[in-house]
């Protein structure tokens, strides 16, 4: 497996030596020592460090960040190959996918039928509500406010918004995300593909969904299309790097890691 040095971490992820040392001391990554005692990190280490960087950028308290990453490290099998592992930041928590099983690291509870993404959410079900039809804008605002406290109602409100205004891209993005998190992948895909005009965020979310469904070739194509529409989507570069690394295309993986670093600066 290809290994990376501390300079690579600085160049690719923007993580300086002092931050790397702190993550090592905390036990989040455990690099090997190579020639002349130089630290060697795996691509899996890069994913964990990048997750830590994402949570830090979201102002997650240090104590909670360290606890989540420590529990993540403890939960992972020692011989887990990169091809069987997916780590995703969901809000201020971390979710892991191992094959078809998913769990959230802080509670150690398995997330049944949950395919993870780079957004906040939890397991939800659609509940039909007997409410008067409202215009799309107000339903969107209502759905947004309901997401954290009542995601079930949020899905229903987003769907009413889309029914009233099929061109409401933000509603499609958020509704598709919640459906994805609920494991209702076919419904989420239909929501995303119903977008009238091409949109980078929609294509990115759809690519994540396809990747979680095992349709990695389609995901590769959509990540590329998302970047064409929105070159600022740094996460698309990182996901492409991960997929190419998984496929053994190290040159392409490294190229996208460099692009990720440039887009993240």
């Amino acid at each position: 497996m290809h290994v990376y040095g501390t300079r690579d971490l600085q160049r690719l992820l923007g993580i300086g030596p002092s931050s790397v040392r702190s993550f090592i001391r905390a036990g989040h990554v455990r690099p090997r020592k190579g020639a002349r005692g130089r630290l060697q990190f795996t691509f899996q280490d890069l994913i964990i460090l990048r997750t830590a960087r994402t949570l830090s950028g979201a102002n997650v308290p240090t104590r909670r960040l360290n606890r989540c990453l420590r529990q993540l490290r403890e939960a992972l099998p020692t011989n887990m190959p990169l091809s069987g592992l997916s780590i995703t930041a969901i809000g201020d928590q971390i979710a892991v996918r191992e094959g078809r099983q998913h769990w959230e690291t802080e509670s150690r509870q398995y997330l049944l039928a949950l395919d993870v993404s780079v957004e906040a959410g939890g397991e939800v079900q659609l509940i039909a509500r007997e409410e008067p039809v409202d215009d799309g804008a107000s339903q969107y605002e209502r759905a947004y406010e309901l997401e954290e406290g009542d995601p079930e109602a949020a899905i229903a409100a987003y769907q009413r918004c889309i029914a009233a205004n099929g061109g409401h891209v933000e509603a499609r993005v958020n509704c598709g995300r919640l459906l994805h998190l609920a494991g209702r992948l076919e419904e989420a895909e239909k929501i995303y593909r119903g977008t009238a005009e091409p949109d980078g965020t929609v294509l990115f979310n759809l690519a994540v969904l396809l990747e979680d469904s095992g349709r990695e070739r389609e995901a590769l194509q959509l990540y590329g299309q998302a970047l064409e529409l929105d070159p600022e989507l740094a996460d698309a570069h990182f996901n492409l790097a991960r997929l190419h690394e998984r496929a053994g295309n190290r040159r392409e993986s490294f190229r996208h890691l460099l692009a990720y670093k440039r887009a993240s600066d």
Side-chain angles (χ1 to χ4, degrees):
M1 179 178 292
H2 186 69
V3 295
Y4 302 83
T6 53
R7 290 185 179 180
D8 293 323
L9 300 185
Q10 174 76 46
R11 184 155 53 100
L12 299 174
L13 302 181
I15 299 178
S18 61
S19 296
V20 172
R21 286 194 295 269
S22 67
F23 287 129
I24 294 174
R25 285 195 300 269
H28 303 322
V29 290
R30 300 169 184 173
R32 296 177 299 177
K33 288 189 177 181
R36 300 180 181 178
R38 293 177 179 174
L39 299 179
Q40 297 180 335
F41 300 84
T42 65
F43 194 84
Q44 183 171 316
D45 289 329
L46 264 66
I47 294 177
I48 295 175
L49 288 169
R50 186 261 189 172
T51 302
R53 181 174 182 261
T54 299
L55 294 176
S56 297
N59 297 319
V60 176
T62 301
R63 181 177 299 179
R64 184 169 190 182
L65 182 147
N66 286 334
R67 184 172 69 251
C68 285
L69 292 179
R70 182 171 62 252
Q71 292 170 340
L72 169 62
R73 173 59 68 182
E74 293 173 354
L76 295 179
T78 56
N79 61 346
M80 168 59 65
L82 178 63
S83 61
L85 176 68
S86 175
I87 304 172
T88 306
I90 300 184
D92 62 354
Q93 300 182 23
I94 300 173
V96 179
R97 183 181 69 204
E98 177 187 346
R100 297 301 299 172
Q101 293 181 320
H102 304 76
W103 68 90
E104 186 272 310
T105 59
E106 189 164 12
S107 68
R108 297 295 186 88
Q109 294 181 345
Y110 277 88
L111 307 178
L112 301 179
L114 177 63
D115 288 302
V116 298
S117 75
V118 290
E119 303 283 351
E123 187 171 4
V124 295
Q125 296 179 345
L126 175 61
I127 294 181
R129 299 294 182 103
E130 295 295 332
E131 297 181 5
V133 177
D134 205 340
D135 65 280
S138 63
Q139 285 298 328
Y140 176 81
E141 293 175 0
R142 173 175 171 77
Y144 189 81
E145 292 175 354
L146 287 170
E147 275 201 23
E148 183 175 353
D150 192 351
E152 299 170 347
I155 288 181
Y158 279 132
Q159 290 178 326
R160 287 192 296 273
C161 174
I162 294 169
N165 180 4
H168 201 302
V169 175
E170 292 82 0
R172 288 187 179 274
V173 168
N174 293 351
C175 187
R177 168 173 51 81
L178 291 177
L179 288 168
H180 183 173
L181 289 167
R184 294 155 60 180
L185 304 188
E186 292 184 2
E187 294 177 66
E189 181 174 353
K190 184 177 180 181
I191 289 290
Y192 290 142
R193 293 193 184 279
T195 306
E197 297 294 332
D199 179 83
T201 301
V202 171
L203 292 179
F204 175 85
N205 284 12
L206 179 56
V208 172
L209 184 152
L210 294 176
E211 185 183 346
D212 287 348
S213 302
R215 297 153 66 183
E216 294 187 356
R217 289 187 178 181
E218 295 177 70
L220 278 168
Q221 182 179 2
L222 284 177
Y223 281 132
Q225 292 177 6
L227 284 169
E228 290 178 2
L229 292 171
D230 187 355
E232 301 300 319
L233 285 171
D235 283 352
H237 281 298
F238 193 88
N239 289 355
L240 282 169
R242 176 168 48 76
L243 288 176
H244 282 299
E245 172 76 11
R246 184 178 297 174
N249 302 323
R250 293 178 179 174
R251 180 175 297 180
E252 282 297 301
S253 175
F254 199 75
R255 182 175 71 84
H256 282 290
L257 281 174
L258 289 175
Y260 165 76
K261 175 58 170 61
R262 290 193 297 268
S264 299
D265 289 341

